[in-house]
Amino acid sequence: MWSILKTALRAIRRNVLRSFLTMLGIIVGIAAVIVGVSMGTGAKAEVDRQIASMGNNLLIIFSGNMSRGGVRGGFGMQPNLTERDYDTLRREVTGIVGISPEVRATAQVVAGNQNTSVGIWGTSADFADIRSWKFQSGENFAETDVRNASKVCLMGKTTAASLFGEGIDPVGQTVSIKDSPVAVVGWLASKGANTFGQDQDDIIIMPYTSVMKRLSGDTKFRAFSAAATDPEVMSDVTNQVASILRQNHQITGDKEDDFSIRSQQEMSDFFNANNRIMSILISAFAGISLVVGGIGIMNIMLVSVTERTREIGIRMAVGARGHDILLQFLTEALTLSIIGGIMGVAVGMGASKIIEVVKHWPVATPYIWILASFLVSAAVGIFFGFYPARKASQLDPIDALRYE
C-alpha cells in the first residue's frame, strides 16, 4: 500500500496545475458545506441564546391574531387584553410562576443635564422573575407600587450609561419623565440584543399602572408574559389561558381567537426557519460542486489511464494483477479527493472566520461536520474514480504494450 500511495503522489506531482484544477470542485463544495454549516449553527446558537435570555418556560399572550407567511402572530394588532383578563388569569391559572401585563410607551428621560429617548415598559412586579432578569444593584418594585401607581422604575444598563455615565450605579437617583420625578430603585443586569437586533438594555421598566396613568393613556394591554413552573405543564397552561380568554372575550364555537399564545420553542422555530432555508440552499450548491468535482476527477483519471497505457502494460508484464492496477488508480483518485477535502475544510473555516470578523455573523463549526467532509470527499473519490480504475485493470497487457 505504501508503494501504491507513493506512486499516486508521484502521478499527482507530475502535473500539479492539472491536479489542482481537478480538485477545485471538491475544494469549493467542501468549503461551501463548512461555511453553510458554520453560519447556520452559529446563527441558531445565537437565536437560542437570545430566546433563552427572555426567561424560562415562557409563554407570551399577544393581542390580536393574524397570519404572516403561514405563521400566526399578534404583532401590529390593537390591544384588546384587559385588566379583567389579567386578574382572571392570575387568579385561576395553575402551574405558573407568575404573569405580567405589558404596556409600552416612549418618552424623553432627563437626568441633570443629560437626556435620552427610551422605550418604557409597564409591567407587574412579577415581570423580572418571569423574564429571569437579574439585578446589578437595587431591587424590584413591589406589588404595592403597582397598586399605588408609584413613581418608581428599574433601569437598563444602556439607559443608565447614557444618563449617568458608564458603570455608574443609578439606584437612588431621580430622573424626570414627562416632567414627573421618578425614583430609580433597581439597576438591571445586561441582556444584550434580542432576536430583532434591538438592545434589551436600553429600557426603563415601571409599574404598568404608572405607565398607563402618566405616560401612554392606554386602558388595555398589548401582551401578557407568563412563566410555567416546568416544561411539562406548558401545554396545560396554554390550554388554561386559551379557555379563560375565550370565555372572557365571549368567543364561542369555531370562531377565531382574538389573541395568540406563543411559547419559547415556537419563537425559536420561527426565527430559525430562515437559517434552515439558507443552510439548505448552501448545501444544494455544495452538492452540485461536489458532483462537478467528482466528474472532473473521473475525467482526469480517464485521461491518465490513456496516457499511461504502456506503463500499465509493463506493470502487468512483470506480474501485476488486475486488482493491483485497480487499487493503484483508485488510490490516485482517492488521494486527489482527500487532498481536495483537506483544502476545502481549510478554505471553509478560513472563510467562516472572515465572515465572523467582517460581518459580525456568529459562526460555529461542529467537529462532526469536519469529519463528515473528509468522508464525503473520500466517497466522491471512490465513486467517481472506480470506473477509470476498473477500465485500467481490464486492459489487455499485449495491447497495452503495443500502445503508442
Side-chain angles (χ1 to χ4, degrees):
M1 280 302 300
W2 176 240
S3 176
I4 289 172
L5 183 60
K6 285 196 295 184
T7 303
L9 291 172
R10 264 201 312 270
I12 292 170
R13 284 201 306 267
R14 196 176 298 149
N15 197 327
V16 175
L17 180 59
R18 187 173 76 177
S19 298
F20 175 74
L21 293 175
T22 303
M23 293 185 290
L24 200 55
I26 302 292
I27 294 170
V28 171
I30 295 298
V33 169
I34 296 297
V35 170
V37 168
S38 298
M39 292 177 66
T41 304
K44 183 181 184 304
E46 181 64 15
V47 167
D48 290 344
R49 184 195 67 77
Q50 291 171 354
I51 294 292
S53 73
M54 295 174 65
N56 296 319
N57 308 319
L58 181 67
L59 287 173
I60 300 182
I61 303 100
F62 292 103
S63 294
N65 192 352
M66 68 177 190
S67 296
R68 290 178 59 184
V71 178
R72 291 192 178 277
F75 308 106
M77 304 300 286
Q78 281 293 107
N80 65 352
L81 298 172
T82 65
E83 188 132 15
R84 174 172 173 255
D85 294 332
Y86 169 56
D87 290 336
T88 309
L89 291 172
R90 185 171 61 165
R91 187 174 60 252
E92 297 184 10
V93 175
T94 59
I96 58 173
V97 174
I99 186 167
S100 171
E102 290 181 23
V103 59
R104 299 187 188 182
T106 301
Q108 202 74 14
V109 181
V110 180
N113 60 355
Q114 301 295 323
N115 69 89
T116 183
S117 179
V118 183
I120 300 175
W121 287 28
T123 70
S124 75
D126 291 336
F127 185 77
D129 289 334
I130 292 169
R131 292 297 185 93
S132 301
W133 216 320
K134 300 186 184 302
F135 286 82
Q136 191 89 358
S137 69
E139 59 184 12
N140 194 16
F141 53 77
E143 194 61 39
T144 53
D145 293 318
V146 177
R147 287 197 298 270
N148 298 330
S150 300
K151 298 178 183 179
V152 294
C153 74
L154 312 177
M155 187 170 288
K157 194 170 183 180
T158 301
T159 306
S162 299
L163 293 173
F164 301 104
E166 193 69 40
I168 296 177
D169 189 345
V171 173
Q173 301 288 339
T174 299
V175 297
S176 176
I177 303 176
K178 284 197 173 180
D179 298 324
S180 292
V182 177
V184 182
V185 297
W187 186 20
L188 297 167
S190 178
K191 277 207 173 190
N194 63 14
T195 47
F196 298 102
Q198 298 168 328
D199 185 1
Q200 296 183 89
D201 302 321
D202 193 10
I203 190 174
I204 285 178
I205 299 175
M206 296 177 65
Y208 70 87
T209 48
S210 302
V211 174
M212 295 172 80
K213 180 179 178 180
R214 307 177 193 283
L215 298 177
S216 69
D218 291 331
T219 57
K220 295 182 179 180
F221 306 113
R222 68 177 296 277
F224 296 142
S225 293
T229 53
D230 56 71
E232 285 71 25
V233 301
M234 291 278 282
S235 177
D236 180 56
V237 169
T238 301
N239 292 335
Q240 290 182 64
V241 170
S243 176
I244 290 169
L245 290 180
R246 284 181 66 87
Q247 184 177 345
N248 279 7
H249 295 192
Q250 298 180 342
I251 301 170
T252 58
D254 58 354
K255 288 184 180 179
E256 191 174 36
D257 295 338
D258 62 355
F259 57 88
S260 306
I261 304 175
R262 293 289 164 263
S263 68
Q264 278 177 297
Q265 186 58 50
E266 288 176 310
M267 288 185 280
S268 178
D269 292 343
F270 176 78
F271 287 111
N272 280 320
N274 289 336
N275 294 334
R276 284 195 294 271
I277 292 171
M278 180 191 71
S279 297
I280 290 169
L281 290 174
I282 292 178
S283 297
F285 168 71
I288 293 170
S289 298
L290 287 172
V291 170
V292 171
I295 293 171
I297 288 175
M298 180 185 287
N299 182 47
I300 292 302
M301 293 308 299
L302 286 170
V303 171
S304 181
V305 169
T306 303
E307 289 177 344
R308 296 160 62 188
T309 300
R310 279 181 62 82
E311 176 191 324
I312 294 168
I314 292 170
R315 288 178 181 274
M316 287 182 168
V318 297
R321 290 164 293 179
H323 75 269
D324 296 319
I325 303 298
L326 175 71
L327 188 59
Q328 177 191 329
F329 280 87
L330 199 57
T331 301
E332 288 185 24
L334 186 59
T335 304
L336 272 173
S337 190
I338 289 177
I339 293 173
I342 293 170
M343 295 174 68
V345 168
V347 170
M349 295 189 73
S352 299
K353 289 299 179 185
I354 291 172
I355 291 170
E356 183 178 32
V357 172
V358 176
K359 296 296 183 181
H360 306 291
W361 184 286
V363 298
T365 309
Y367 291 115
I368 188 67
W369 278 96
I370 296 176
L371 177 61
S373 297
F374 288 129
L375 295 176
V376 168
S377 60
V380 168
I382 292 171
F383 181 81
F384 287 96
F386 182 78
Y387 174 71
R390 187 168 180 272
K391 183 178 179 182
S393 69
Q394 291 178 338
L395 287 176
D396 183 88
I398 303 301
D399 292 337
L401 287 169
R402 288 178 181 162
Y403 186 81
E404 293 294 337

